[in-house]
Amino acid sequence: MIEARRSRICKAAIERFANDGYRATTMQSIADTAKMSVGQIYDYFHDKEDLLIASMNDVLDAYGREVPVAVSGKSDPFEQFTAAVHAFARVVDERRQAWLIGYREFHVLSPRQRRQILDKDMATTKLIEDRIVACVKAGLFHRVEARMLTYQILLLIQGWALSAWRLPRMTLREYIGSGLSILLNPVQTERCIRAHTKAE
């Protein structure tokens, strides 16, 4: 019951932040969208900023849940890597409004809150970075700066959230697969290319 109400309030806040902007959104407008009283919202969230942080954490927590599930049962490091990237992209796609709000409104957080979100973000990006390192150790990737390749992959994923409208006939899976093939072309070893003709 508590989690269901928190989720309902958070979804209403995301809708209002997306439509009205963070600064113009009021607690009353969030309450109206959630079909609750403002007092009920304060039972679950301290203030509007608390709701903004909750929307950001919803995306970050989803990475932590969904990426491990996507790679489970796969023993090949390259398959784990591609599964992790696709799972990351699905989270962004399914929570595009919340992701865009976090991207756009991050600057309004206090320094302490920004640090907390950044620390959590760095922990989630390790879900991809660690699999790049595993591919290098397995001889599937040439030696590469794993953090920089991770950054380039994140930019690829963020590009979908920011301007997928530029590629109206391309699915998310096709977009990520095509982007990975470009990024990985100089990185994959002959062994990797023989075993995996293309990134899934």
Side-chain angles (χ1 to χ4, degrees):
M1 182 68 158
I2 292 175
E3 282 308 310
R5 284 200 172 184
R6 282 181 62 88
S7 177
R8 178 174 158 192
I9 295 166
C10 196
K11 285 178 182 176
I14 289 168
E15 183 179 335
R16 294 273 53 86
F17 294 156
N19 291 338
D20 305 333
Y22 174 75
R23 292 188 185 281
T25 296
T26 65
M27 292 297 275
Q28 184 62 59
S29 68
I30 294 170
D32 291 344
T33 301
K35 294 181 171 48
M36 301 170 72
S37 70
V38 173
Q40 285 176 302
I41 291 179
Y42 282 121
D43 287 338
Y44 299 93
F45 296 94
H46 297 301
D47 50 28
K48 189 170 70 169
E49 191 174 58
D50 197 20
L51 277 161
L52 177 61
I53 293 168
S55 71
M56 294 180 185
N57 279 324
D58 179 61
V59 178
L60 295 170
D61 291 341
Y63 296 142
R65 289 192 309 270
E66 297 186 28
V67 174
V69 170
V71 303
S72 64
K74 300 182 188 303
S75 57
D76 179 81
F78 185 76
E79 291 180 0
Q80 289 184 342
F81 162 74
T82 55
V85 174
H86 281 287
F88 226 89
R90 283 194 302 275
V91 168
V92 171
D93 187 51
E94 291 166 3
R95 293 166 172 79
R96 191 179 303 191
Q97 272 194 333
W99 184 89
L100 286 169
I101 289 162
Y103 179 85
R104 191 173 60 218
E105 306 292 356
F106 178 77
H107 69 282
V108 307
L109 300 179
S110 69
R112 180 182 61 81
Q113 290 163 331
R114 286 200 298 270
R115 184 72 263 163
Q116 289 174 345
I117 292 293
L118 283 172
D119 287 345
K120 199 168 186 178
D121 183 65
M122 291 298 291
T124 61
T125 58
K126 288 266 302 165
L127 295 167
I128 292 176
E129 185 179 340
D130 288 348
R131 282 160 181 85
I132 293 173
V133 171
C135 284
V136 173
K137 289 180 178 177
L140 300 172
F141 287 176
H142 297 296
R143 290 182 63 83
V144 64
E145 175 51 60
R147 184 166 294 181
M148 180 57 73
L149 181 54
T150 301
Y151 178 70
Q152 295 300 319
I153 290 167
L154 293 176
L155 288 178
L156 171 70
I157 294 169
Q158 292 163 9
W160 175 263
L162 292 168
S163 55
W165 54 269
R166 293 177 183 272
L167 301 164
R169 294 184 179 143
M170 187 172 276
T171 66
L172 172 63
R173 189 165 188 82
E174 290 168 343
Y175 169 81
I176 295 298
S178 179
L180 279 181
S181 69
I182 294 168
L183 288 175
L184 298 181
N185 186 50
V187 175
Q188 289 176 278
T189 63
E190 285 298 322
R191 176 181 172 188
C192 184
I193 293 168
R194 284 196 303 270
H196 309 277
T197 56
K198 64 178 180 178
E200 297 179 7

